Amino acid sequence: MQQFKCYVDGVFEEGSARFESLDPASGKVWAMMPRASASDVDRAVKAANRAFLSPEWADLNATRRGKLLARLADLIEEHSGQLAELETRDTGKIIRETSAQIAYVADYYRYYAGLADKIEGAHLPIDKPDMDVWLRREPVGVVAAIVPWNSQLFLAAVKLGPALAAGCTVVLKASEDGPAPLLKFAEIIHQAGFPAGVVNIVTGFGADCGQALTQHPDVHHIAFTGGPETARHIVRNSAENLATTSLELGGKSPFIVFDDADIESAANAQVSGIFAAAGQSCVAGSRLLIAKGIKDRFLARLKEKAEKITIGLPDDMGTEVGPLCTQRQLDHIRTIVGKSCEQGARLVTGGVALERPGFYYAPTILDCSEVPEAASVTNELFGPVLSVLSFETEEEALRLANGTAFGLAAGVFTQNLTRAHRMIRKLQAGVVWVNTYRAVSPIAAFGGYGLSGHGREGGLQAALDYTTTKTVWLRTSDEPIHDPFVMR
Ligand code: NAD
C-alpha cells in the first residue's frame, strides 16, 4: 500500500496520525495519508512565518523568485505523467483530463514566473512641495491555501503562483479526499529549490486541520476553494486572525441556448459543460435554459450524445466519464435526483448509480420545465446531472439565469451579436462564455458573484491580491521642523 507524507519546513513527515484513501474506481483502500493535527498545522504556519522573515526568502529579489517559479513549471512538465496518474488514482478524475490539465498547470506557474518582477509600486504626485511619497508593494504575509478534491493541482496553482510571485509564504491544505497529487507535488517544490518553509503542504480534515489553519494568529490571508457552507466557517474563523479572504465557491451556472444557435456546437459544449469531470466542476453548466421552439430537438440530440458517452476506468484513455470521487458525493446526487423526480421532474436519461464497483453515476438529464423549483435546479449537485428549463423570451431567459444565489459562470449560445451583448451586460456571473464553455487561461481573471464567492484567481489582479501597500513619506527639505503642533 502506498504511503504519503506531509511537507513541513522543508522536511517530509509522517504526520501524527494517518487515514485511508479510497480508489474511487473500486471503492477500496489504496493508500495511507498523513492526518495533520492542530499541532502539525501550528508547526507548518510557524515555519511559513519564519521563512517569510528569513533573508533567504525576504531578500530574494522578485526576478529570482520568478526564476524559481519557472523552474517549478519545468519540473511539473517533467513529472506531469506521474502527477496525472496519481490524481486519477486518488480522485477518479479521468486520465484524459488530468494529463491535459496538468500540462496547463505548468503554464500557470510560468505566467506568474514572468509576472513576479512586474508587480510595481507607485510614486505619488503629492500635494506638498518638500515631500517625496511612494507606495511600496509588499507581500501580504503567510497564506493559508485550502482546496477541495477536484483538480487539486490546478486549484493549488492558481493560489501558489500569484502568492509566491508576490513574495508570500504558504501553508497549503490538500483535501482529505484524494490528496495524493499534492503530497507528491511537495517533492517537486523541494526539488525546485524553494527555501525551507516557503511552501508547506499538509492534509487532514476540516474540523481539526482546516479549522486550526484558518484561525491561526500568524496567517494573514486565506485563499479558499470549496463549498459556501465551509466558506462561512472559514470567514468566522478569520474573525480570530482578521486575515483577508478570497473565496472561490460553488455554482449553478446557466447554459442558455437561443433558437438561432448552432445546435451541434451548443450540444457538444453542453455535454462537456456538464459531463466532463463527471460534473464535479465548479463551473458545470448544470442548468440548461433552452428556447421552447428548439427544446425537443435539442434534448433529443443531447440524450443521444449522453447515452453514447464511454463510461469506464479513469486510467483508460478511452474513458469519457469516470467515477465520482467519494461515496458521500454519490449519495448526495442520488438523494437530490430522487427528490427532484418525486417533485415532478421528468427523467430524459440516466438517473441511476451504475451496477459496478466504485462510485459511478450515469450521465443524467432531468426535464424540470414544469417544476422550476425542483431540488436539482436549486442545489449544486457537483455530479453528472443536467436540469433543463425552457423559456420563450430573452427576458425570461435572463430571469431564469439570474434566479439563483450563485453567480460563478454563464454560457450563451446565439448567433445574434446584439443579443449576445445584451446578455453579457445583464448576466449576474463572474465569467460569461459566448458560443463556448469552460475555457480558462492564466491570463484571464476567474471568480464569482454572490454565493459563488469573492476575489479573483488568474491574471495580474490575483497577484496584487497577495500584496499590501506601504506608504513611504520622505521629507526633502533641510529646513528644521519649527512647530511641533502643525504637521504639514
Ligand atoms: P468543502 O467546502 O467541503 O471542502 C473544501 C476544503 O475545505 C477541504 O480541504 C476541506 O477539508 C476544507 N474544510 C472543511 N471544513 C473546514 C473548516 N471548518 N475550516 C477550514 N477548512 C475546512 O468542498 P468540497 O465538497 O470538497 O468541494 C466541492 C465544492 O468546491 C463545490 O461547492 C464546488 O463548486 C467548489 N469548487 C469551487 C471552485 C471555484 O473555483 N469556484 C473550484 C472547484 C470546486
Side-chain angles (χ1 to χ4, degrees), residues 146-152 155 159 173-177 204-207 209-214 224-231 233-234 237 247-251 280-283 328-329 380 382 406 408 446-448 452 457:
I146 300 183
V147 293
W149 81 79
N150 69 314
S151 311
Q152 296 207 48
L155 295 172
K159 298 170 179 56
K173 181 200 160 317
S175 171
E176 61 274 38
D177 300 315
F205 294 81
C209 172
Q211 187 89 5
L213 179 56
T214 47
F224 172 72
T225 300
E229 206 37 53
T230 312
H233 280 289
I234 284 174
N237 293 350
L247 307 172
E248 294 292 345
L249 311 178
Q280 299 164 108
S281 162
C282 54
V283 294
R328 188 179 74 245
Q329 198 54 23
E380 184 186 37
F382 222 54
F406 290 112
L408 192 55
F446 177 88
S452 294
E457 292 187 326

Side-chain angles (χ1 to χ4, degrees), residues 42-383:
D42 179 54
R43 282 188 305 104
V45 176
K46 285 189 171 138
N49 208 18
R50 269 196 309 278
F52 183 68
L53 302 170
S54 72
E56 289 80 15
W57 183 246
D59 295 347
L60 198 68
N61 67 43
T63 309
R64 297 285 302 281
R65 286 202 303 273
K67 280 189 177 161
L68 279 175
L69 281 165
R71 170 143 174 75
L72 180 62
D74 292 345
L75 286 168
I76 289 170
E77 265 171 2
E78 225 173 86
H79 292 87
S80 60
Q82 199 184 9
L83 289 169
E85 275 167 29
L86 274 176
E87 183 152 17
T88 291
R89 184 75 200 269
D90 210 16
T91 67
K93 192 177 169 91
I94 61 172
I95 193 79
R96 247 159 104 161
E97 286 170 1
T98 54
S99 323
Q101 195 174 48
I102 288 162
Y104 206 29
V105 159
D107 283 353
Y108 272 74
Y109 286 106
R110 217 161 262 132
Y111 172 81
Y112 285 106
L115 201 65
D117 58 9
K118 289 152 202 83
I119 300 172
E120 297 175 349
H123 191 265
L124 305 185
I126 208 74
D127 56 344
K128 301 174 197 313
D130 56 352
M131 294 282 187
D132 225 1
V133 181
W134 67 95
L135 296 182
R136 288 171 52 82
R137 275 263 163 210
E138 300 197 347
V140 74
V142 174
V143 173
I146 300 183
V147 293
W149 81 79
N150 69 314
S151 311
Q152 296 207 48
L153 285 160
F154 176 78
L155 295 172
V158 292
K159 298 170 179 56
L160 280 179
L164 295 172
C168 294
T169 59
V170 183
V171 178
L172 171 62
K173 181 200 160 317
S175 171
E176 61 274 38
D177 300 315
L182 278 184
L183 299 177
K184 182 74 194 168
F185 173 68
E187 293 174 22
I188 296 171
I189 286 276
H190 192 75
Q191 207 181 331
F194 287 91
V198 169
V199 181
N200 306 271
I201 303 184
V202 298
T203 186
F205 294 81
D208 40 21
C209 172
Q211 187 89 5
L213 179 56
T214 47
Q215 298 185 317
H216 199 290
D218 291 340
V219 163
H220 305 104
H221 180 78
I222 303 167
F224 172 72
T225 300
E229 206 37 53
T230 312
R232 291 191 181 95
H233 280 289
I234 284 174
V235 171
R236 280 184 215 113
N237 293 350
S238 72
E240 294 300 316
N241 49 24
L242 295 181
T244 50
T245 55
S246 55
L247 307 172
E248 294 292 345
L249 311 178
K252 197 70 212 174
S253 301
F255 187 105
I256 309 162
V257 184
F258 286 97
D259 53 9
D260 60 1
D262 173 337
I263 298 288
E264 193 56 19
S265 285
N268 281 334
Q270 175 66 92
V271 166
S272 149
I274 188 63
F275 299 131
Q280 299 164 108
S281 162
C282 54
V283 294
S286 54
R287 287 187 302 141
L288 166 63
L289 311 185
I290 180 81
K292 272 197 180 131
I294 56 166
K295 181 183 162 199
D296 291 345
R297 193 154 55 100
F298 195 72
L299 278 195
R301 198 76 191 98
L302 270 188
K303 175 175 155 67
E304 194 184 323
K305 286 178 186 288
E307 289 173 356
K308 275 199 194 137
I309 288 173
T310 308
I311 298 170
L313 289 173
D315 60 356
D316 183 337
M317 263 298 182
T319 297
E320 293 170 331
V321 167
L324 299 160
C325 185
T326 61
Q327 179 71 48
R328 188 179 74 245
Q329 198 54 23
L330 183 60
D331 294 343
H332 170 65
I333 291 163
R334 266 191 183 136
T335 307
I336 302 275
V337 172
K339 185 162 178 211
S340 308
C341 291
E342 278 166 26
Q343 289 172 302
R346 184 178 66 85
L347 206 51
V348 177
T349 187
V352 285
L354 298 186
E355 294 289 333
R356 57 180 291 163
F359 315 131
Y360 285 84
Y361 198 84
T364 295
I365 302 174
L366 281 173
D367 184 353
C368 304
S369 320
E370 301 302 319
V371 271
E373 71 287 357
S376 69
V377 178
T378 52
N379 289 278
E380 184 186 37
L381 276 89
F382 222 54

Side-chain angles (χ1 to χ4, degrees), residues 375-459:
S376 69
V377 178
T378 52
N379 289 278
E380 184 186 37
L381 276 89
F382 222 54
V385 179
L386 178 67
S387 299
V388 182
L389 298 176
S390 56
F391 64 87
E392 293 211 40
T393 62
E394 194 176 304
E395 290 68 32
E396 196 183 357
L398 259 174
R399 186 177 51 72
L400 290 170
N402 291 337
T404 165
F406 290 112
L408 192 55
V412 181
F413 276 75
T414 179
Q415 311 245 12
N416 180 331
L417 190 63
T418 52
R419 167 188 282 156
H421 278 277
R422 285 193 298 275
M423 296 297 287
I424 292 165
R425 222 178 285 163
K426 292 189 178 155
L427 281 165
Q428 294 293 310
V431 181
V432 177
W433 287 297
V434 181
N435 294 330
T436 182
Y437 205 78
R438 276 184 105 224
V440 290
S441 160
I443 302 159
F446 177 88
Y449 282 26
L451 265 199
S452 294
H454 59 241
R456 293 290 178 264
E457 292 187 326

